[in-house]
Amino acid sequence: MTRRTIGELRSQRWYASDDMRGFAHRQRTQQMGLRREEFLRKPVVAIVNTWSELSPCHSHLRDRAEAVKRGVWQAGGYPVELPALSVGEVMVKPTTMLYRNFLAMEVEELLRSHPIDGAVLLGGCDKSTPGLLMGAISMDIPVIYCPAGPMSNGQWRGHKTGAGTHTKKYWDELRAGNITQDDWVDLESRMTRSIGTCNTMGTASTMTSIVDAMGLTLPGASSIPAADSGHPRMASACGERIIEMIWDDWKPSRFLDARSFRNGLVAYMALGGSTNAAVHLIAMARRAGVDLTLDDMSDMAGRVPVCANLFPSGEYLMEDFYFAGGILAQLKKLERHLDKDAMTVNGRTLGENIAGADCWNDEVVRGEDNPVVPLSRGKTLAVLRGNLAPNGAVMKSSAANPKFLKHTGPALVFDNPAEMNRTIDDPDLDITEDTVIVLRNAGPVGAPGMPEWGNLPIPKKLLKQGVRDMVRICDGRMSGTHYGTCILHVAPEAAVGGPLGLLRTGDLVELDVEAGRLDMKVDDEELERRRADWKPGALRYERSFAALYQRHVSQADEGCDFDFLSTRGLVAEPSIF
């Protein structure tokens, strides 16, 4: 591999010239207290940091940025920290998904508009991983993803508790009267007991593990707990490695290809990962010029069973997974499905990276001979189509009650969450366990931003009867930490004229997961009459980023990216005059 010279690095357009502009760039850098020798004739590394005091999953990333800087300085580079939007779950409303594309735009423009030769991306909470990488892939300079790491194990009264998963579980128990308000308050301070992302296989660990398998992190980085001393050491190693990548011009377009995404899909299915990954992977693939569809995911889901024994599909948490050998051990057990010749950020193949991986607990990291959920019982991702979802809908059939995988029941339709919340616990509500609860107008345009509203609540009167699952349908998303027979990402969504908008309360809905079907039992003539009467609702925003989002976002089966960003194409380097 031919190494570049200092004069070939893009940062030197800013720093190396003898004109007035070059003078100003060097002058202003020295204004910050740096000596010329500390930054001249060195690769410039951006540390793109999504730290925020309202993003608890990222609250340690300022410290990790300092660790990255150590590695960059040691390797002979000049590190600069650039803040970026922190799309931390829980606090950001109406949904972080509304701002994933904002982060992607910000990252791409941060890297393009500054004298940057390569970047280390600090993130981890759900949308930060795809957002950071979408922008970096489009910019196409050397990058390494440094994941924030999962939080430490939680425990309450002798039971393992996972963030998100048990919040939902205990909320239902509170509503059913099985735990007290004092119990509920006590849980607040015990379930999330350290820095880091959710400690279950929710969307955060799903996405960081997938990009680890794709070769965008240092090998095994995604499994290291945030509070472990190995985590800052990994961050420092990222800083050291990015310098070599810059000299070698080892940018995403040099190694990120269809093989990388295939390996990511193997990890996705084996981990029992979040349905949210389906949207993010399509968006990332399009930025990389790779053709990836829901059908590709469905195919892989039919080959690789859920093997990682992690909540919400299993019994353990991410810290247990790390001590059992982590993602590298899991991939080693599934290597027959991998393209081991795919290259990674460390300059080696995936096969080389997993060659020495050991598993220290076969109960946590399982193989195909002992899956947590065999394929006969369910899959990480089932893709459904029919007259309710012509372009597709998804569900995690491995997390559903098997008795609902083939089901017909009457629809109970809600047009918005407020209507649903006012009604769902009415003791006189006409509803049984066989009812199919539907929430629409929760998609990319309708909400907007496709919030995690899809784990629809079970009515209190049914909870008291012991019901803990029902068929539920939504054109929005669901938290990756949740579970149940929830059909999500219905495309096209109701707000843009999708047939979900034509469904009425009382219509029979037929679900057949094995056949991949989701239909309403309404004849075509009646549907045409309803379609003629349907009128789109007014867009909720006349200005702001949300208005831009509503006008340019694609549907869930296309990745929910912006139409003007979702393809590859050259963008000129900024002029310097």
Side-chain angles (χ1 to χ4, degrees), residues 110-149:
L110 274 174
L111 298 180
R112 179 175 293 112
S113 61
H114 290 96
I116 302 302
D117 299 311
V120 177
L121 311 172
L122 300 186
C125 196
D126 298 12
K127 314 309 177 296
S128 64
T129 299
L132 287 163
L133 284 167
M134 286 162 65
I137 290 167
S138 292
M139 180 57 194
D140 199 30
I141 61 174
V143 294
I144 294 179
Y145 190 71
C146 178

Side-chain angles (χ1 to χ4, degrees), residues 21 36 39 63 71 100 120 184 292 340 349-350 368 383 405 417 448 454 467 499 510 516 522 549 568:
R21 283 295 166 216
R36 291 175 106 248
F39 66 90
D63 291 337
R100 183 202 69 181
V120 177
W184 182 244
L292 183 70
K340 293 187 286 185
T349 65
L350 180 65
E368 294 176 276
V383 176
L405 297 182
V467 175
E510 186 175 54
V522 180
Y549 188 97
R568 298 187 79 172

Side-chain angles (χ1 to χ4, degrees), residues 283-526:
M284 290 168 60
R286 291 188 172 200
R287 295 292 188 107
V290 172
D291 184 21
L292 183 70
T293 67
L294 288 177
D295 290 332
D296 296 321
M297 298 185 198
S298 178
D299 178 69
M300 187 62 76
R303 298 170 185 266
V304 179
V306 179
C307 293
N309 193 2
L310 299 168
F311 284 113
S313 297
E315 304 172 20
Y316 294 92
L317 297 168
M318 286 301 297
E319 191 172 29
D320 305 309
F321 186 62
Y322 171 66
F323 289 126
I327 187 63
L328 299 183
Q330 189 67 78
L331 293 175
K332 179 69 174 175
K333 289 196 173 187
L334 297 163
E335 61 182 326
R336 76 180 185 92
H337 295 285
L338 299 170
D339 192 320
K340 293 187 286 185
D341 292 329
M343 297 301 294
T344 69
V345 292
N346 70 348
R348 301 187 181 95
T349 65
L350 180 65
E352 290 174 307
N353 289 339
I354 67 171
D358 290 312
C359 176
W360 307 111
N361 189 332
D362 292 314
E363 177 63 18
V364 178
V365 178
R366 300 189 186 185
E368 294 176 276
D369 58 338
N370 182 32
V372 177
V373 183
L375 291 173
S376 60
R377 159 64 180 79
K379 302 187 295 185
T380 292
L381 193 77
V383 176
L384 309 169
R385 289 188 175 86
N387 69 358
L388 262 177
N391 295 348
V394 302
M395 70 176 295
K396 188 188 291 191
S397 60
S398 61
N401 188 323
K403 74 177 184 179
F404 290 123
L405 297 182
K406 188 169 184 177
H407 179 79
T408 300
L412 175 62
V413 181
F414 298 103
D415 285 320
N416 57 70
E419 176 191 2
M420 178 181 66
N421 291 338
R422 284 195 304 269
T423 307
I424 200 71
D425 285 336
D426 184 341
D428 297 324
L429 184 65
D430 183 13
I431 192 169
T432 71
E433 185 182 17
D434 291 329
T435 301
V436 176
I437 305 176
V438 177
L439 176 66
R440 61 191 176 199
N441 300 313
V445 173
M450 205 180 176
E452 292 182 340
W453 293 344
N455 194 250
L456 309 180
I458 294 171
K460 187 181 293 186
K461 74 175 185 180
L462 295 184
L463 287 172
K464 291 179 177 179
Q465 295 170 20
V467 175
R468 292 297 182 271
D469 197 10
M470 298 173 67
V471 177
R472 288 157 281 176
I473 301 174
C474 186
D475 47 11
R477 298 176 301 109
M478 178 176 80
S479 169
T481 64
H482 288 178
Y483 50 87
T485 312
C486 299
I487 300 159
L488 311 155
H489 309 186
V490 174
E493 62 177 303
V496 300
L500 192 67
L502 308 180
L503 187 68
R504 294 180 180 174
T505 292
D507 291 342
L508 287 179
V509 173
E510 186 175 54
L511 168 65
D512 188 336
V513 175
E514 185 176 357
R517 298 292 303 182
L518 180 65
D519 295 284
M520 53 178 157
K521 308 300 285 183
V522 180
D523 64 55
D524 292 342
E525 289 184 5
E526 174 61 19

Side-chain angles (χ1 to χ4, degrees), residues 100-308:
R100 183 202 69 181
N101 296 348
F102 190 116
L103 176 59
M105 294 171 71
E106 182 180 22
V107 170
E108 182 176 350
E109 301 307 328
L110 274 174
L111 298 180
R112 179 175 293 112
S113 61
H114 290 96
I116 302 302
D117 299 311
V120 177
L121 311 172
L122 300 186
C125 196
D126 298 12
K127 314 309 177 296
S128 64
T129 299
L132 287 163
L133 284 167
M134 286 162 65
I137 290 167
S138 292
M139 180 57 194
D140 199 30
I141 61 174
V143 294
I144 294 179
Y145 190 71
C146 178
M151 69 177 77
S152 302
N153 282 1
Q155 190 172 118
W156 187 62
R157 298 180 181 176
H159 298 283
K160 284 184 184 292
T161 54
T165 299
H166 285 86
T167 300
K168 178 67 171 63
K169 174 184 175 181
Y170 286 121
W171 173 244
D172 283 347
E173 296 307 313
L174 178 68
R175 294 173 65 226
N178 295 331
I179 64 171
T180 68
Q181 188 65 36
D182 287 342
D183 294 333
W184 182 244
V185 171
D186 188 42
L187 272 163
E188 284 183 12
S189 62
R190 300 187 185 275
M191 288 177 62
T192 51
R193 48 178 289 269
S194 83
I195 56 175
T197 58
C198 289
N199 50 15
T200 58
M201 187 46 66
T203 304
S205 284
T206 297
M207 290 307 304
T208 57
S209 299
I210 286 173
V211 300
D212 198 328
M214 289 173 62
L216 290 162
T217 72
L218 293 181
S222 64
S223 302
I224 305 172
D228 194 284
S229 63
H231 198 269
R233 291 197 296 270
M234 177 272 293
S236 177
C238 287
E240 184 174 6
R241 174 58 192 159
I242 193 65
I243 298 300
E244 290 301 306
M245 292 175 68
I246 290 169
W247 290 127
D248 293 336
D249 197 24
W250 196 235
K251 55 191 178 183
S253 62
R254 297 275 302 274
F255 67 90
L256 190 66
D257 57 22
R259 298 174 301 173
S260 313
F261 281 92
R262 177 182 172 83
N263 291 337
L265 291 183
V266 173
Y268 178 17
M269 304 313 162
L271 295 169
S274 165
T275 50
N276 288 309
V279 174
H280 301 319
L281 282 171
I282 290 173
M284 290 168 60
R286 291 188 172 200
R287 295 292 188 107
V290 172
D291 184 21
L292 183 70
T293 67
L294 288 177
D295 290 332
D296 296 321
M297 298 185 198
S298 178
D299 178 69
M300 187 62 76
R303 298 170 185 266
V304 179
V306 179
C307 293

